Amino acid sequence: MRIHSGFKAAILMTACSLVSCVSAQKSVDAQAAVVPGIEKFQAYTQVFPEKALITQNHATGHVGKFFFTHWKDAGAASLSLDATGAFSVSWQGGGYNYVGGPGWHYGDKNRVIGYRFEEDSGASYITLYGWGYDKAMPTSDPAHLVEYYILQRWTYDPSKDGVYGKTFVSDGVEYSTYRSVREVKPSINGPTTFYQYWSKPTQQRPLGQDHKIIFADHVKAWADTGWILPNMNNFDASDDPTYQVMAVEVFNPPKDGTASGRVWDATPR
């Protein structure tokens, strides 16, 4: 499971290897102007080339209209992605944790996420992943900060120790919900106690097909059991904005592997 530690120290290493640092900085300034408030997190304003290979330990930013995260605590894992939302995560076996993938720098209750995975050779899990945060709520209440997961594929079930909520159907797929609590753990707002919400399909989603995640259905299902998701579009946390990405996670992978696919915004217009 991911141990989150913020990305403010991420650098322009990959961007500067493919384009000039001056051009990259101009793109950074332009992106910050387009997204008022995001300049608080300088790493998030990075604009990478429209085809990028990310290999450093920590990196985040934008490729085209897509935001991405890329984080590992050791080992060898890389993320390649382009402006169409196509991406691939490659990893070597070892004792470390990696999480990364493309999406958006904020969550949207009404967003419909489209995706397709062509390859998955053993990721711990593939999931829609993000955060909600309410700075007005006391930090003593775990509901002030929520880390959420809508699982799609897995070799390890991270929801297995959670409290069951309900079972529901979204876009023809049956999901069950679970909630866990993290006691004083790293988060987008420093070490704190917070909830994790999970939606897990009865069957893993197959490769080689287009799929949809109707996010509003999951928000409602969580709320039906009193699990309210805080604001998913703010820059109030200390370390990161409330992003939403299609993430590939591997931890202590026993062998080398790859997961590849594409993500897009399928919200009806």
Side-chain angles (χ1 to χ4, degrees), residues 51-215:
K51 290 187 176 180
L53 175 63
I54 315 298
T55 59
Q56 60 263 44
N57 283 351
H58 301 164
T60 190
H62 291 80
V63 172
K65 63 183 179 181
F66 289 98
F67 166 81
F68 74 89
T69 62
H70 167 87
W71 180 92
K72 59 186 175 184
D73 58 9
S78 62
L79 170 67
S80 64
L81 67 167
D82 67 30
T84 71
F87 70 107
S88 177
V89 175
S90 297
W91 62 87
Q92 295 180 6
Y96 65 97
N97 182 205
Y98 170 82
V99 63
W104 302 267
H105 74 265
Y106 65 97
D108 184 342
K109 183 182 74 173
N110 297 314
R111 181 178 289 137
V112 177
I113 297 90
Y115 80 88
R116 178 185 183 98
F117 270 85
E118 301 292 353
E119 184 178 9
D120 172 21
S121 55
S124 297
Y125 45 88
I126 296 171
T127 180
L128 185 71
Y129 170 59
W131 295 82
Y133 175 59
D134 184 349
K135 69 177 181 180
M137 293 180 67
T139 57
S140 58
D141 183 348
H144 82 284
L145 179 65
V146 172
E147 183 181 36
Y148 61 85
Y149 299 78
I150 301 176
L151 298 172
Q152 301 296 290
R153 296 180 59 82
W154 62 90
T155 56
Y156 164 79
D157 178 8
S159 68
K160 62 184 178 66
D161 296 323
V163 174
Y164 171 75
K166 66 174 292 185
T167 296
F168 69 104
V169 175
S170 175
D171 196 40
V173 180
E174 184 177 83
Y175 289 87
S176 294
T177 64
Y178 302 87
R179 187 179 74 177
S180 308
V181 63
R182 298 277 284 166
E183 297 278 356
V184 193
K185 297 296 184 181
S187 77
I188 63 170
N189 197 46
T192 190
T193 297
F194 57 93
Y195 282 133
Q196 294 174 318
Y197 297 168
W198 310 89
S199 288
K200 177 188 172 185
T202 302
Q203 296 182 331
Q204 302 197 45
R205 312 305 295 138
L207 300 173
Q209 298 179 18
D210 290 353
H211 301 288
K212 288 192 300 185
I213 297 173
I214 303 174
F215 188 50

Side-chain angles (χ1 to χ4, degrees), residues 16-67:
C16 289
S17 68
L18 298 173
V19 297
S20 74
C21 289
V22 172
S23 296
Q25 184 60 51
K26 288 180 180 178
S27 296
V28 165
D29 295 340
Q31 183 66 35
V34 170
V35 186
I38 201 170
E39 64 272 7
K40 174 181 177 181
F41 309 106
Q42 291 185 5
Y44 284 77
T45 67
Q46 296 180 114
V47 178
F48 287 73
E50 292 201 350
K51 290 187 176 180
L53 175 63
I54 315 298
T55 59
Q56 60 263 44
N57 283 351
H58 301 164
T60 190
H62 291 80
V63 172
K65 63 183 179 181
F66 289 98
F67 166 81

